Amino acid sequence: MLSRWMFLVSLVALVQSVRSSPQETAPAVCVATVCYSLQLHSRKFNMARTVCKTKGGDAMTVRSTVAADAISVLLRAEGVPRGGRFWIGLQLHQKTCPQNGTHLRGYRWVQGDAESDYSDWQAVTPACGPRCVTVSGSGGWTDGRCNEKADGVLCEYRYPGSCSPLALTNGSVIYITPFGTNSSELSVLPTRTVAVTEPWALRFQCAAEEDGSWAWHPQQPAPWHCQVENGGCQYSCQSPGGPRCSCPPGHKLNPNGHSCDPVDPCLEAHCQHHCLVQDGSPFCMCQDGYQLQADAKGCDDVDECLQNPCDQICINTPGSFSCRCRSGYHLGEDNKCEDINECVGPFKMCAHKCANTAGSFHCKCYSGYQVDASDFTRCIFHCKTNTGRCDPRCSGDECECPEGYIFDDELRQCFDIDECNSGLCDQDCTNSFGSFKCDCQEGYQLQADGTSCDREGSGSSETFNLLPTTLRPTSGPPHPARAGLSLGVVLGIIFAIAMLTLIFAGLGHHLLAKRGKWQTSTAYKPANLEQDVNLSQVTSTEEHKQQAQYAEKCNVGT
């Protein structure tokens, strides 16, 4: 009852404003999303409905007391004839007779249904249809012939949404509704209503928002006069100096000049890594492995190696670190370095015998072998005694001699090769059992190949005295500098070398034919340099068996 009373009060105020509004074209009342208007056109029923339809509506349905109260207000509006009759959207169809058992007594609304919680019949004749219903200022519904004219028609317009009146602190506004009524006092404005403010001639339209609500959309850019809709500003509108919008603390004005967005505190914090906002204030944070600088913005790398997190070697990296181990160790769990056993498994290094040590290993060879000077993990066959002859290692008819020795088929022995007779050294040569050594005369130095000599200070490479060769001594005078040789001397030397080459080739062919096949290695033997080396690998049981077979066969041959 209270809500209905408040509705009536608002309708009465509306009627008073309608009476005093010269712009009003037809009395109108809007409730929520439904508007009602009274059109003063003397028409038959069907033609009167057309008046409503041309403006997007139809003849009015009165299904509740709210609609009945709206009729009462409209009929009391200024200019409405007292005692007049006005069509509503209720009719009895042709060949249908009244039925007194329902609210509508067999009549139906223009939409075709008979649903209603309200009726206000004044008198109903028993005549059958077609019959139509009018309402008068004295109250009550009266049926009559549809082809007779009434004084007007009550129209009904329905809309998807509505807006509240435009907010004004000064001036006035005229609302132009989509159903043709102009008013300044409507309490609810349907969608598509245009509001025009005076004296500034600002225009707004009631339209839908993105969130599904309805609001006034300006038809001119904001900001405008602050007295109308706060100048279009989201927060505050300031008039001095012209209308302009302002934002509260912590917000900034958008380029559109009327809306505001929160300011991100981190944009002005200038943090190097991360920014965290607490209670509206920014705080800078660093990534793992970094620490905040004194300015509370930048970040410095933390040197984790100062805390000795590794077992042996620590390498600091930006934001982190890595652990490594020395040679002979591998990294295990918890950054601990574990010794690598080079004598077993995939780490096996030595060809014969192996002894593992902490971080390293030692290799040894079986009897009759010695460590290869170029690779201490390998073992090579060698002569047991430091003599010019030694026993070979035979397998059937195939026999093998140590490096620097040649096999004699008749004597079944290995004999030392005198490499100095082969002219391998550029100047001085010293032969040894199984090896040789090159040296240079005074004023010359041994080159990187271990055999040639060049004058000191000539820009050639440094002397390598560690190579297993020395220079052969000569009986003639010192070798003259190459830079001083004449063309004739050079040609003579070339001819002498060619003749010596032919002589040695013939001699070699004769020895091969006489003494049999030579078994020599593919490279000349290195010097017998004793070295202690630390690497590893062991020999299998099968290799021990082969060594025993070689020794047995060689003993039989001798």
Side-chain angles (χ1 to χ4, degrees):
M1 291 297 296
L2 179 61
S3 61
R4 182 181 178 187
W5 180 82
M6 294 179 65
F7 172 71
L8 290 175
V9 171
S10 64
L11 291 181
V12 171
L14 177 60
V15 169
Q16 293 176 349
S17 66
V18 168
R19 289 175 179 174
S20 61
S21 175
Q23 295 87 2
E24 186 71 51
T25 56
V29 174
C30 292
V31 180
T33 58
V34 183
C35 290
Y36 307 102
S37 71
L38 176 58
Q39 302 293 331
L40 297 175
H41 298 281
S42 180
R43 298 283 193 278
K44 297 178 182 180
F45 179 76
N46 287 335
M47 293 301 297
R49 285 187 63 190
T50 302
V51 173
C52 299
K53 288 181 177 180
T54 55
K55 298 181 180 181
D58 206 338
M60 181 177 178
T61 60
V62 190
R63 303 172 187 268
S64 66
T65 56
V66 174
D69 293 338
I71 292 176
S72 298
V73 172
L74 292 174
L75 294 183
R76 291 198 299 270
E78 185 177 355
V80 177
R82 298 294 179 263
R85 296 170 51 249
F86 308 96
W87 295 116
I88 62 173
L90 190 62
Q91 61 181 345
L92 184 67
H93 292 286
Q94 188 175 6
K95 297 181 181 181
T96 302
C97 297
Q99 300 175 4
N100 294 329
T102 62
H103 277 293
L104 300 184
R105 298 184 179 181
Y107 284 72
R108 289 184 175 273
W109 300 111
V110 289
Q111 288 82 7
D113 66 283
E115 295 181 4
S116 181
D117 295 330
Y118 175 82
S119 64
D120 188 18
W121 293 104
Q122 185 177 25
V124 179
T125 63
C128 297
R131 305 285 287 179
C132 297
V133 179
T134 60
V135 62
S136 63
S138 59
W141 299 350
T142 302
D143 67 315
R145 295 167 57 183
C146 299
N147 58 1
E148 293 181 352
K149 291 183 178 181
D151 297 312
V153 59
L154 290 162
C155 298
E156 175 183 305
Y157 310 95
R158 293 185 176 273
Y159 299 94
S162 61
C163 296
S164 300
L166 204 66
L168 292 176
T169 57
N170 197 3
S172 61
V173 61
I174 295 298
Y175 298 106
I176 304 173
T177 64
F179 54 87
T181 295
N182 298 343
S183 173
S184 60
E185 296 296 336
L186 286 173
S187 58
V188 177
L189 290 310
T191 178
R192 295 188 289 113
T193 296
V194 175
V196 181
T197 64
E198 295 296 342
W200 309 285
L202 299 174
R203 297 176 66 89
F204 303 84
Q205 186 175 39
C206 179
E209 299 275 38
E210 292 182 357
D211 59 0
S213 62
W214 300 84
W216 292 106
H217 288 217
Q219 296 181 329
Q220 57 278 320
W224 50 80
H225 294 280
C226 295
Q227 294 87 347
V228 181
E229 286 288 309
N230 194 36
C233 300
Q234 183 178 359
Y235 286 96
S236 62
C237 180
Q238 299 177 0
S239 296
R244 57 188 180 88
C245 300
S246 60
C247 301
H251 292 72
K252 64 176 181 179
L253 192 65
N254 286 328
N256 59 23
H258 62 87
S259 63
C260 301
D261 279 340
V263 176
D264 186 359
C266 290
L267 292 178
E268 299 179 356
H270 304 292
C271 297
Q272 183 176 353
H273 285 179
H274 304 296
C275 179
L276 178 66
V277 179
Q278 292 183 346
D279 299 328
S281 299
F283 295 92
C284 296
M285 300 179 63
C286 296
Q287 300 172 357
D288 291 341
Y290 292 84
Q291 60 184 1
L292 202 61
Q293 294 178 355
D295 61 0
K297 296 181 180 181
C299 297
D300 287 331
D301 175 55
V302 175
D303 189 353
E304 294 86 355
C305 292
L306 297 177
Q307 304 174 7
N308 299 320
C310 300
D311 190 21
Q312 291 185 357
I313 303 173
C314 178
I315 300 177
N316 185 58
T317 59
S320 185
F321 69 98
S322 62
C323 294
R324 297 184 183 178
C325 298
R326 293 190 293 268
S327 177
Y329 294 86
H330 70 93
L331 196 64
E333 297 180 356
D334 301 327
N335 292 329
K336 299 295 183 182
C337 292
E338 301 173 357
D339 175 59
I340 297 175
N341 188 350
E342 295 87 351
C343 296
V344 296
F347 302 106
K348 183 178 178 181
M349 299 294 293
C350 297
H352 288 182
K353 298 177 182 180
C354 177
N356 186 58
T357 60
S360 185
F361 64 99
H362 296 286
C363 293
K364 294 183 179 180
C365 298
Y366 298 133
S367 177
Y369 292 82
Q370 68 179 10
V371 175
D372 189 349
S374 62
D375 183 359
F376 75 93
T377 64
R378 295 177 62 248
C379 293
I380 59 175
F381 175 47
H382 77 291
C383 193
K384 295 180 181 179
T385 58
N386 193 16
T387 60
R389 58 184 294 177
C390 67
D391 296 330
R393 185 174 63 183
C394 299
S395 176
D397 293 335
E398 298 293 332
C399 293
E400 180 183 0
C401 291
E403 290 185 2
Y405 287 80
I406 188 171
F407 182 69
D408 189 319
D409 285 338
E410 295 180 358
L411 300 177
R412 307 289 292 180
Q413 285 286 299
C414 295
F415 291 90
D416 174 61
I417 299 174
D418 188 355
E419 292 85 357
C420 293
N421 292 332
S422 301
L424 294 177
C425 296
D426 196 4
Q427 292 186 359
D428 297 336
C429 178
T430 303
N431 184 59
S432 61
F433 297 116
S435 183
F436 70 101
K437 180 182 179 182
C438 294
D439 289 308
C440 295
Q441 299 172 4
E442 185 177 357
Y444 293 83
Q445 64 181 157
L446 192 64
Q447 301 302 298
D449 58 5
T451 61
S452 60
C453 298
D454 203 353
R455 278 191 177 279
E456 294 180 352
S458 63
S460 59
S461 59
E462 298 179 357
T463 304
F464 286 82
N465 291 326
L466 296 179
L467 292 175
T469 55
T470 39
L471 298 180
R472 173 170 52 98
T474 59
S475 57
H479 198 287
R482 289 183 175 83
L485 295 180
S486 64
L487 179 61
V489 174
V490 172
L491 292 176
I493 293 173
I494 293 175
F495 178 77
I497 292 174
M499 293 302 295
L500 288 174
T501 302
L502 292 175
I503 293 172
F504 280 118
L507 179 62
H509 182 270
H510 175 72
L511 290 175
L512 287 174
K514 180 179 180 182
R515 302 183 65 178
K517 179 175 61 178
W518 289 12
Q519 297 291 334
T520 62
S521 61
T522 57
Y524 285 105
K525 59 181 179 272
N528 232 348
L529 300 178
E530 295 292 334
Q531 300 184 27
D532 289 334
V533 227
N534 294 326
L535 288 176
S536 66
Q537 189 172 351
V538 293
T539 307
S540 63
T541 306
E542 186 63 24
E543 291 176 333
H544 285 291
K545 292 180 179 181
Q546 292 178 358
Q547 295 164 12
Q549 293 175 0
Y550 289 151
E552 181 179 355
K553 292 179 179 179
C554 290
N555 292 334
V556 172
T558 56

